[in-house]
Amino acid sequence: MDIEIPILMSATSLLMPKMGESITEGTIINWLVAEGESFEEGDILVEIATDKVDNEVPATSAGVMQKHLYDANAVVAVGEPIATYLAQGGDAEKAINPSEKKESQPIKAQTSKKQAKPKVAPARRAIVSNENVFVSPLIDSIARKHHISYEEIARIPGTGTKGRLRKKDIMQYIDDGRPFQFAQPVAQPDPDAYKIPNLKLDKGKGKIVEMDRMRQMIADHMVYSKHTSPHVTAYVEADLTEMVQWRNDNKVAFQEKHGERLTFTPLFVEAVAKAVEEFPMINVSVDGKNIIVKEDINIGMATALPSGNLIVPVVKNANQKNLVEIAAEVNRLASLARENKLGGDDVKGSTFTISNVGTFGSVMGTPIINQPEAAILATGIIKKRAEVMERPEGDTIEIRQMMYLSLSFDHRIVDGYLGGSFLRKIADHLEQFDTTRAL
């Protein structure tokens, strides 16, 4: 008689994975395996998002999903359990008890009903000024460490989606000296006194398209940047005739020798990296009342995704790479972006960004600074124009390859002289391109 031997299962915690060197938390986008549902090794269990990159978490073994400890949109610290599942190879009866579930909870103005006291210290309750503030476990742990009350947390501006507090928000607040620490509650003003006028604008009729998560984050980031940095934009035009001719003459030989396509982007990255070396105060960010001058020169390149959204992969230590190495890195990042396969570290750590608006036929642009950087460069379309050229034998009119460059910079820390000089230096490097260089 055949005897059926059951497959033994053991309870295992699924942890929030570390998705990059500098990433400390992730957002659960969607659970792909429901509670009680079985899965095989390699099946995708959950989708996790960081600031801009979405990641899929695969199962390392077959099993059954036992309990989701967090719902979609919860922000969880790296290393925290987010679910428990029954994996093959152990005792199914020794399941982890998921009853002590940590969730992001909204702060309420009213005191909640009494609950059974957990073993850890109970959460502090206080009258707050913003009932829509959500506190993740990571924010809660930081607040407890620094003895920050919920009432004080509620007054900290959040830069995350829907005003959610992020780690950098509370750390910046602490670095600023906790300005709301001793703030006293104020009487509620007349709701009509500061009411935003209802202009009843005609928004028209049509198909409603809901913003996806990335578009919402881009929108938040752009508004935050314009609110934080007083933007000033400077313009120059550059004669790229010699550089364009060199590239056209050598792009085929370059690819045959090095196996890499030679686009204009590596040439722009190279010129910008050289200029940043000469003007290091462009390679900075603001920290309260201090200016941080970055040691590394990491050039971000704004790139359109197939969805139409924007992402900024980064060429790390661009000033230490030759043209072949820059081209290889640019091509690698562009390829990953087209395939939606950029990793967390691919989009982290930029210190200066280039936006090639000429790719779409734009003559010039006024880009928004990629926070927390101090400036961003836009390169327009390279276009043939009739130009007056000053020659020893007299002025002539010639057909030249011209391009507009525009630099948006943070006027808190970059003045017109520095911004203009830096922009002119980039143009000089492009115009004075060495056409005798070896491939």
Side-chain angles (χ1 to χ4, degrees), residues 352-384:
F352 185 90
T353 298
I354 301 173
S355 179
N356 187 0
V357 299
T359 301
F360 315 108
S362 296
V363 175
M364 65 176 67
T366 55
I368 297 176
I369 297 168
N370 183 23
Q371 296 293 330
E373 297 164 21
I376 181 172
L377 176 75
T379 55
I381 188 174
I382 301 174
K383 192 174 182 65
K384 289 182 180 180

Side-chain angles (χ1 to χ4, degrees), residues 12-17 28 31 67-70 75-84 96-98 100-103 137:
T12 306
S13 292
L14 177 65
L15 306 181
M16 173 62 73
I28 296 174
W31 285 103
K67 185 73 175 176
H68 297 162
L69 302 184
Y70 291 93
V75 179
V76 186
V78 168
E80 283 283 320
I82 59 175
T84 59
I96 295 176
N97 181 8
E100 293 189 14
K101 173 180 174 182
K102 281 176 121 181
E103 292 183 349

Side-chain angles (χ1 to χ4, degrees), residues 130-416:
N130 185 354
E131 294 185 9
N132 294 323
V133 174
F134 280 77
V135 180
S136 69
L138 177 62
I139 298 298
D140 182 74
S141 65
I142 295 174
R144 290 176 183 275
K145 180 179 178 181
H146 293 272
H147 306 288
I148 299 175
S149 68
Y150 280 149
E151 181 177 5
E152 190 176 348
I153 291 176
R155 294 170 178 164
I156 303 173
T159 61
T161 304
K162 298 182 181 179
R164 185 186 292 275
L165 277 177
R166 302 168 67 184
K167 179 183 177 182
K168 69 175 185 179
D169 299 326
I170 191 168
M171 297 308 296
Q172 182 64 53
Y173 174 75
I174 293 169
D175 292 341
D176 289 343
R178 294 174 61 184
F180 306 137
Q181 183 176 5
F182 302 108
Q184 298 298 315
V186 295
Q188 290 295 326
D190 181 355
D192 295 325
Y194 302 99
K195 188 175 181 180
I196 298 175
N198 182 7
L199 301 180
K200 298 182 179 180
L201 300 174
D202 181 7
K203 298 180 181 179
K205 298 180 180 179
K207 178 182 177 181
I208 303 299
V209 179
E210 185 178 355
M211 290 186 186
D212 59 24
R213 186 193 61 83
M214 181 175 286
R215 175 50 54 187
Q216 292 177 37
M217 296 182 71
I218 292 172
D220 292 342
H221 193 69
M222 295 298 98
V223 172
Y224 173 74
S225 182
K226 292 291 284 188
H227 175 76
T228 301
S229 299
H231 283 56
V232 176
T233 306
Y235 304 88
V236 298
E237 61 177 344
D239 185 347
L240 305 188
T241 304
E242 279 72 28
M243 189 188 81
V244 171
Q245 188 62 50
W246 181 89
R247 184 249 177 189
N248 290 340
D249 292 342
N250 292 279
K251 61 182 180 180
V252 174
F254 188 92
Q255 184 164 5
E256 289 176 350
K257 182 176 181 179
H258 303 292
E260 299 291 346
R261 293 176 59 247
L262 181 60
T263 63
F264 285 109
T265 300
L267 301 173
F268 296 155
V269 171
E270 181 185 56
V272 168
K274 289 179 180 178
V276 171
E277 283 186 313
E278 297 170 85
F279 292 90
M281 290 306 294
I282 285 288
N283 202 47
V284 302
S285 61
V286 176
D287 181 20
K289 295 183 179 180
N290 298 320
I291 298 174
I292 302 174
V293 183
K294 306 297 180 64
E295 296 177 352
D296 298 326
I297 298 177
N298 301 331
I299 307 299
M301 50 182 201
T303 304
L305 294 171
S307 63
N309 289 323
L310 183 71
I311 200 165
V312 184
V314 183
V315 179
K316 305 288 179 62
N317 298 308
N319 59 316
Q320 299 175 16
K321 291 179 169 63
N322 58 38
L323 184 58
V324 176
E325 293 170 329
I326 294 175
E329 185 66 357
V330 166
N331 292 336
R332 182 186 74 85
L333 294 170
S335 176
L336 291 175
R338 286 191 297 269
E339 299 171 4
N340 282 321
K341 292 182 179 179
L342 286 168
D345 289 336
D346 291 328
V347 296
K348 291 292 183 181
S350 64
T351 61
F352 185 90
T353 298
I354 301 173
S355 179
N356 187 0
V357 299
T359 301
F360 315 108
S362 296
V363 175
M364 65 176 67
T366 55
I368 297 176
I369 297 168
N370 183 23
Q371 296 293 330
E373 297 164 21
I376 181 172
L377 176 75
T379 55
I381 188 174
I382 301 174
K383 192 174 182 65
K384 289 182 180 180
R385 293 205 304 268
E387 293 290 319
V388 176
M389 305 298 295
E390 297 180 359
R391 305 294 186 188
E393 61 275 11
D395 293 348
T396 61
I397 296 178
E398 302 178 14
I399 304 299
R400 308 293 292 180
Q401 299 273 10
M402 305 298 295
M403 181 179 72
Y404 285 107
L405 303 170
S406 53
L407 181 77
S408 294
F409 54 89
D410 187 340
H411 214 337
R412 294 178 301 170
I413 48 177
V414 178
D415 292 325

